Amino acid sequence: QKEVEQNSGPLSVPEGAIASLNCTYSDRGSQSFFWYRQYSGKSPELIMFIYSNGDKEDGRFTAQLNKASQYVSLLIRDSQPSDSATYLCAVNRPGSNDYKLSFGAGTTVTVRA
Amino acid sequence: DTAVSQTPKYLVTQMGNDKSIKCEQNLGHDTMYWYKQDSKKFLKIMFSYNNKELIINETVPNRFSPKSPDKAHLNLHINSLELGDSAVYFCASSPKWTFPDTQYFGPGTRLTVL
């Protein structure tokens, strides 16, 4: 079982719609969760992180975390063509000496104008 | 500009050669990382240094050797390059070795082994 799994996509949504991205993780000890956006040929850039159950909103982005279900999601409201990118879910499990991020394979989103 | 920078941006070389990639951050961060992103876009950590000390050393062939001369620099040397080493290598840094920890990525080095 992979540590972090994302819906494989690609996900195509019309401009103005909501894009919904899902991520599940295997380690119940995981405590912080990150969403990165990566444009083609570019480096990952952090969109937001969440570590408490519930929703966290930042502009058009909402992250949702459910630790009991080991599930984290990202909603992109009013999707724009500039949101077309690959979205990477990353999970961090703090331990005795281990703060590494484990990444999912990413979901590619295409927003149709 | 404050950032994480890497050199070179592109590296094309023959199998069996030895090459190095350099990374520098001027963000004042304590922790630096090397990641490998393969053709399927899967991003996997290779190494992490905290204040010049090796913290994470994933299952990586010992042909790969990181070196951190100071906490602002983390270089990656690769010996006897193989076809499977072709990938994009990202350097990243984060403020400190605590929770939650946000990592900032450099622009990447695209390595092609022929």
Side-chain angles (χ1 to χ4, degrees):
Chain A
Q1 182 185 8
K2 292 180 183 174
E3 291 182 50
V4 181
E5 298 207 51
Q6 298 182 239
N7 43 340
S8 57
L11 180 65
S12 179
V13 298
E15 185 173 358
I18 295 175
S20 177
L21 307 171
N22 302 321
C23 174
T24 57
Y25 57 95
S26 61
D27 188 340
R28 279 199 174 276
S30 300
Q31 293 192 14
S32 54
F33 308 86
F34 301 79
W35 283 100
Y36 282 82
R37 176 177 62 201
Q38 186 174 24
Y39 292 113
S40 181
K42 301 294 185 183
S43 59
E45 57 177 322
L46 181 70
I47 298 175
M48 59 193 309
F49 68 86
I50 186 169
Y51 49 89
S52 299
N53 276 328
D55 294 0
K56 179 180 179 183
E57 189 174 313
D58 184 358
R60 296 185 295 109
F61 298 96
T62 299
Q64 299 173 316
L65 175 61
N66 183 327
K67 289 185 181 179
S69 301
Q70 295 175 240
Y71 173 91
V72 58
S73 66
L74 180 71
L75 299 177
I76 308 173
R77 291 185 302 282
D78 187 23
S79 295
Q80 302 297 308
S82 60
D83 295 326
S84 297
T86 297
Y87 290 80
L88 304 171
C89 173
V91 174
N92 176 297
R93 177 184 60 80
S96 58
N97 199 25
D98 182 355
Y99 285 94
K100 68 179 181 183
L101 285 182
S102 296
F103 282 84
T107 300
T108 298
V109 173
T110 301
V111 180
R112 309 186 304 272
Chain B
D1 288 345
T2 55
V4 181
S5 59
Q6 294 178 230
T7 54
K9 189 169 175 61
Y10 300 97
L11 187 51
V12 181
T13 188
Q14 299 286 332
M15 276 176 54
N17 284 350
D18 303 338
K19 291 293 178 186
S20 292
I21 307 171
K22 295 186 176 182
C23 177
E24 176 181 2
Q25 55 91 6
N26 61 4
L27 299 165
H29 290 171
D30 288 339
T31 309
M32 297 184 71
Y33 310 80
W34 278 112
Y35 285 87
K36 178 181 180 181
Q37 188 170 45
D38 60 26
S39 57
K40 296 183 179 178
K41 304 298 185 186
F42 189 64
L43 194 63
K44 187 166 174 59
I45 191 166
M46 301 173 70
F47 301 103
S48 175
Y49 273 75
N50 185 50
N51 270 325
K52 302 193 299 175
E53 180 185 352
L54 181 65
I55 297 297
I56 292 174
N57 185 350
E58 289 294 286
T59 307
V60 175
N62 57 15
R63 298 182 293 104
F64 290 79
S65 52
K67 281 191 173 51
S68 181
D70 55 62
K71 76 173 192 177
H73 295 84
L74 180 60
N75 303 324
L76 183 65
H77 187 76
I78 315 170
N79 289 325
S80 303
L81 278 155
E82 299 178 357
L83 292 176
D85 297 332
S86 295
V88 180
Y89 292 84
F90 286 102
C91 177
S93 71
S94 60
K96 52 189 176 181
W97 192 242
T98 57
F99 162 89
D101 196 30
T102 302
Q103 296 184 21
Y104 299 87
F105 285 79
T109 296
R110 181 173 294 277
L111 171 64
T112 303
V113 182
L114 303 175

